[in-house]
Amino acid sequence: MGRDASKAARLEPGLRLDQYELLYAIAEGQTSSVWLARLSGKRGFERLVAVKVILPDPTQSERQRRTFLDEARLAARVQHDNVAQTRDLGEARGFLYFVMEWVDGDSLETLNRAVLQAGHSFPIPIALRVLVDACSGMHAAHEARGDDDAPLEIVHRNLSLSNLLVSTTGMIKVIDFGLAKARVGVLDETKTSEIRARVDLVAPEISLGRPVDRRADVWSLGAVLYELCAGVAPYASLTVRQGIAARATGAMPEPLPDRVPTLVRFIVSKALAIDPKVRFSTAEGMRATLEDAARSLGPPATPEHVADLVKMHLASKIRHRSVAIQVALTAAAERKRPLDSGVLGASENAPPQVFGIGSSASLDAAAAVAIASEPKLPARIEIDAEPTRNIGASVALFLGAVVVGAVLAVVLRAR
C-alpha cells in the first residue's frame, strides 16, 4: 500500500468500502481492525456484517498482505455452522478487507471472566456443550479441501477462549485464522516466537518449534476445557520459559478441581497429552467422547442453556451493544440527510464527516449510557447549538427593528 493510498481515506464511520458502509469499530489490533458494517443492496436490501480491514502502513510488507489474504481464503474454505463464515474479499480506497458474518455475541473468554467475577464456577454441562460445538467447527476446518479436492490440512494454531465466539442464541463460532497453518500458503512461515507469548494456550509442539498437525488444535481444545473447569489456563502459574521447559520434560498441568467429574478429567488429560500420539486423533473423536460424557452426567446442555448463561452474565454488554448499533444506524441516517436540513450529511461517495445532532433529534437515556460505557462508538456525537444561536440572532434582529420603528414613530409624531 503506497503512502498516497493510505492518505486517501481514513477508517471512520461512514466510509464505504465498495458496498459496505462502516458503522463503528468493534476491535483493533496492531495490523488490522474489525468493524461493524452495513451491506446495502438493491431495492432497500440491508444486512449487518463484520469487516476486517488491514490497517494502512507505509512500512507494511508484502508478506503481511499475503498473510491477510491467506487468512481470508482459508477461512472461506471452511463451511460450518460453528465457524464464522467469510463472505467476501476486496480492496477499496487503498484498504484491503474481507467480510465475515456478523455474530451478535461475545468471546468465551469474556463470558468465563464474567462468570468468575460473579463468584461462580463455569457450569460443567455448559462447558461440555461449548466444547462439542467447538470440536465440530474445528473438525470442519481440519477436513477442508482445496479446488483440487486435496486436503488443505488447516491447523488453527491459535485456538483459545478469545477465539471462540458465543452468540446470544447460544451458538459457538470459531474465528481468527490469522496464525493458521495449511498445506499451501505463506501462513506456514509464521515464526514460533510470534506464538510463544501465548504459551499457556498452544500445543507443546508449537511452543517447542516442532512439526504440527490437527492434533495441535486438539490440545488447544483440551486447554479451553481445562480453563473452563479450573478457572485458569494450563501452566498459568508458570512463566513462559518454565512452561516450555515443563512441556519439554513431559510435565502435565495442575490437576483439575475435585468437583470435575472423572470422565471429564480423562478427556482433558487425553487432549493435553504431551505426545500427540496419545491425544484424540481428531477433533471429531474428541467431540463424540464429550457427548458421551455429557449424557452420563444427566440431560445434556443445549444451545438454549448456553444462551441463558450468556444473558445472565452479559446482559449489560448485550444491551449496550444493541443501543450502540442503533446509534450507529441513526448516525448513518443523519449522514444521508441533505445539507440544508440543519445536520451535516454525507453522500454515498463523499468522505465521512463528524455529525451534529440539533434540537430536532435526541438520544434516549439508554443510548447515553451506552455512549459513556462503550470504548468505541460509531462517531463523535456533538450537541449542535448552532440552530439555537441562529434562532436567537433572528429574534434579536426582529426586536431591534421593532424598537427602531417605535422610536421613529415617536419622532415623526412630535414633529
Side-chain angles (χ1 to χ4, degrees):
M1 185 180 303
R3 186 174 181 180
D4 294 338
S6 65
K7 286 186 174 182
R10 293 186 303 159
L11 286 178
E12 53 189 345
L15 181 70
R16 280 186 173 274
L17 300 179
D18 297 323
Q19 68 267 44
Y20 305 101
E21 178 186 4
L22 302 185
L23 296 178
Y24 75 92
I26 302 169
E28 185 169 319
Q30 293 181 345
T31 61
S32 62
S33 62
V34 180
W35 286 72
L36 175 68
R38 179 171 59 180
L39 166 64
S40 298
K42 296 180 179 180
R43 298 185 180 274
F45 173 81
E46 292 183 349
R47 175 189 291 169
L48 292 179
V49 294
V51 177
K52 186 170 184 177
V53 188
I54 191 167
L55 297 177
D57 183 358
T59 64
Q60 195 174 76
S61 68
E62 184 59 29
R63 177 179 174 274
Q64 287 175 305
R65 288 171 59 83
R66 291 201 312 270
T67 299
F68 185 86
L69 290 170
D70 278 350
E71 176 186 358
R73 290 165 182 157
L74 284 183
R77 290 287 183 180
V78 185
Q79 300 295 316
H80 194 274
D81 289 343
N82 295 121
V83 177
Q85 299 300 289
T86 299
R87 304 194 183 281
D88 198 2
L89 174 64
E91 186 168 8
R93 297 175 180 263
F95 293 104
L96 193 62
Y97 70 90
F98 67 85
V99 182
M100 301 169 287
E101 66 172 312
W102 164 247
V103 179
D104 184 15
D106 295 277
S107 70
L108 181 58
E109 181 178 39
T110 299
L111 176 59
N112 185 50
R113 186 186 306 119
V115 171
L116 295 177
Q117 288 176 347
H120 303 298
S121 298
F122 203 95
I124 298 297
I126 295 181
L128 296 178
R129 174 76 258 167
V130 167
L131 265 295
V132 164
D133 290 347
C135 284
S136 295
M138 284 313 309
H139 183 68
H142 296 156
E143 292 290 306
R145 293 175 175 269
D147 291 334
D148 57 358
D149 201 38
L152 289 174
E153 300 176 10
I154 296 175
V155 183
H156 192 288
R157 296 203 299 179
N158 194 31
L159 193 64
S160 66
L161 276 74
S162 62
N163 289 330
L164 292 172
L165 288 185
V166 187
S167 76
T168 55
T169 61
M171 286 291 293
I172 305 301
K173 301 277 188 177
V174 179
I175 62 170
D176 196 356
F177 285 78
L179 292 179
K181 170 189 178 295
R183 174 174 54 85
V184 293
V186 299
L187 296 182
D188 288 353
E189 300 172 7
T190 304
K191 298 178 181 178
T192 303
S193 59
E194 295 176 1
I195 304 176
R196 281 181 177 171
R198 308 178 70 104
V199 68
D200 58 335
L201 305 176
V202 298
E205 55 267 34
I206 295 178
S207 60
L208 295 171
R210 296 171 181 170
V212 301
D213 57 27
R214 65 173 67 189
R215 292 172 296 183
D217 289 337
V218 168
W219 193 97
S220 295
L221 289 165
V224 169
L225 182 54
Y226 180 102
E227 186 164 353
L228 293 180
C229 292
V232 295
Y235 306 103
S237 62
L238 305 179
T239 65
V240 172
R241 187 181 298 275
Q242 290 171 339
I244 294 175
R247 296 162 198 231
T249 59
M252 293 291 289
E254 295 290 330
L256 288 171
D258 293 338
R259 69 180 183 86
V260 180
T262 301
L263 185 51
V264 177
R265 290 172 181 237
F266 165 76
I267 294 172
V268 172
S269 176
K270 184 174 178 64
L272 292 181
I274 300 298
D275 185 355
K277 298 186 183 68
V278 180
R279 299 175 203 156
F280 297 98
S281 59
T282 65
E284 172 62 20
M286 183 175 176
R287 183 203 62 77
T289 309
L290 285 165
E291 288 199 324
D292 290 341
R295 284 191 292 268
S296 72
L297 299 177
T302 65
E304 288 74 20
H305 292 112
V306 179
D308 289 342
L309 187 70
V310 170
K311 293 169 185 175
M312 179 186 301
H313 292 282
L314 298 178
S316 177
K317 288 183 68 67
I318 295 170
R319 183 170 59 254
H320 290 167
R321 181 166 57 246
S322 176
V323 174
I325 291 173
Q326 292 305 314
V327 172
L329 293 173
T330 299
E334 293 289 344
R335 284 192 293 268
K336 289 185 177 180
R337 292 178 61 181
L339 292 174
D340 60 0
S341 66
V343 180
L344 287 177
S347 67
E348 292 189 358
N349 295 321
Q353 305 177 50
V354 174
F355 64 96
I357 295 182
S359 57
S360 62
S362 64
L363 296 174
D364 60 17
V369 170
I371 291 169
S373 60
E374 289 288 330
K376 291 182 179 178
L377 284 173
R380 188 173 73 253
I381 298 178
E382 301 173 340
I383 302 301
D384 188 355
E386 192 62 35
T388 303
R389 291 198 297 270
N390 290 342
I391 293 173
S394 300
V395 172
L397 289 174
F398 174 77
L399 292 176
V402 171
V403 172
V404 171
V407 171
L408 288 175
V410 171
V411 172
L412 290 174
R413 181 177 298 177
R415 288 181 178 178

